[in-house]
Amino acid sequence: MEQPNLSYIESMSGGNEAFEKKIIGIIKVEFPEEKHVYFENIGANNFKAAAENVHKLKHKISILGLERSYALADDFETNLKNESTTGKDEFDAILHLMTDFLETI
């Protein structure tokens, strides 16, 4: 599985470390709450809301350089809109990977 990285954030910042820290800080604050709400909605079989949660989380997946994971999340979002949980295990693994990464930076 691919690994999260800061390449995209670093390319956006142009070397501005304060900007990088600010973006990382925002992700560290928003990601746990968005993940929590996703798990609540998926646990309640609220597929429409879970699809919206996945859509929001896709942005953070992209920012952390997870290109293949973004594609998996996109497919999972579509599946949720069709009331299918196909792709859930892979998506949940992506969230776990991101959680671990964010705890180390």
Side-chain angles (χ1 to χ4, degrees):
M1 180 175 265
E2 65 187 331
Q3 294 298 310
N5 60 74
L6 300 177
S7 298
Y8 181 72
I9 293 171
E10 291 167 352
S11 70
M12 282 191 330
S13 75
N16 183 332
E17 288 184 28
F19 175 80
E20 291 173 15
K21 286 180 182 180
K22 183 174 184 177
I23 295 298
I24 293 166
I26 291 169
I27 292 171
K28 284 184 164 188
V29 168
E30 291 180 353
F31 176 73
E33 178 60 25
E34 290 174 5
K35 181 177 76 168
H36 175 75
V37 173
Y38 156 76
F39 279 119
E40 283 184 345
N41 285 322
I42 200 73
N45 291 324
N46 188 345
F47 299 118
K48 182 180 180 197
E52 291 171 6
N53 301 138
V54 171
H55 183 78
K56 283 178 124 178
L57 287 160
K58 283 190 324 186
H59 297 292
K60 289 172 181 61
I61 291 169
S62 177
I63 288 171
L64 292 179
L66 298 167
E67 295 176 18
R68 284 177 267 138
S69 296
Y70 182 91
L72 289 170
D74 196 47
D75 290 343
F76 182 49
E77 178 186 2
T78 300
N79 292 340
L80 286 170
K81 289 177 182 176
N82 294 315
E83 298 191 359
S84 167
T85 58
T86 301
K88 179 187 179 307
D89 291 341
E90 293 85 355
F91 184 75
D92 291 356
I94 294 164
L95 296 181
H96 182 72
L97 185 70
M98 292 171 64
T99 300
D100 289 347
F101 178 75
L102 290 170
E103 288 174 354
T104 65
I105 59 171

